[in-house]
Amino acid sequence: MAAEHVEVRVEARGDATVVRVVGVLDALALPDVSRELTDAQRGAGPVYIDLHGVTFMDSRGLGSLLAANERAREGAPPVTIYRPSEAVQRLLDVSGVRGVLPEVEELPAP
C-alpha cells in the first residue's frame, strides 16, 4: 500500500542525487522512502536528503536515515541531510543522533 501522505521526489544534480521528502515520514511512508534512498545510493555520487518539507517523522523514518548512513559507512555513496525541518531536528536531538548524520545548508548546483 502506497503512503498517500508523503511525497518522495528524486533529482539529479551533477554527479549528486537529491531525494526530497515532503509530508509525514512514518511506517506507512517507509517503503517508498527506503526504496528511493537505496536506489539513490546505487549511483556513484553523494546523496542529499532534503527534509525541509517533512511535517512529522517517527523512529522508523529515523531508522531509514540511519540505514542509509550505515550503507555509506560500508562503501555506498555518502548521505547528507539538507535543511531538516523543525520536526526532524527535534527527533534528531531527542534521539541523540544529531551529530551522526551530516547536515548542510546548501545543495550542489544543478
Side-chain angles (χ1 to χ4, degrees):
M1 175 169 145
E4 294 179 14
H5 59 296
V6 71
E7 181 181 344
V8 183
R9 294 180 308 229
V10 178
E11 173 188 341
R13 290 228 175 176
D15 68 339
T17 302
V18 177
V19 178
R20 294 185 194 278
V21 183
V22 177
V24 177
L25 180 44
D26 62 5
L28 289 175
L30 189 61
D32 293 336
V33 173
S34 292
R35 180 180 57 252
E36 294 297 349
L37 288 176
T38 300
D39 288 350
Q41 283 186 288
R42 288 189 176 123
V47 176
Y48 294 86
I49 308 167
D50 181 348
L51 299 173
H52 183 70
V54 173
T55 56
F56 173 82
M57 184 168 76
D58 68 6
S59 61
R60 290 186 186 194
L62 178 60
S64 68
L65 300 178
L66 292 172
N69 189 59
E70 184 61 27
R71 285 191 297 273
R73 290 181 54 194
E74 294 172 353
V79 293
T80 304
I81 295 174
Y82 169 69
R83 292 180 50 196
S85 68
E86 226 176 271
V88 174
Q89 289 178 39
R90 190 171 30 254
L91 182 58
L92 293 173
D93 290 338
V94 168
S95 63
V97 299
R98 186 69 181 257
V100 173
L101 299 164
E103 299 177 35
V104 294
E105 289 294 319
E106 293 184 24
L107 292 173

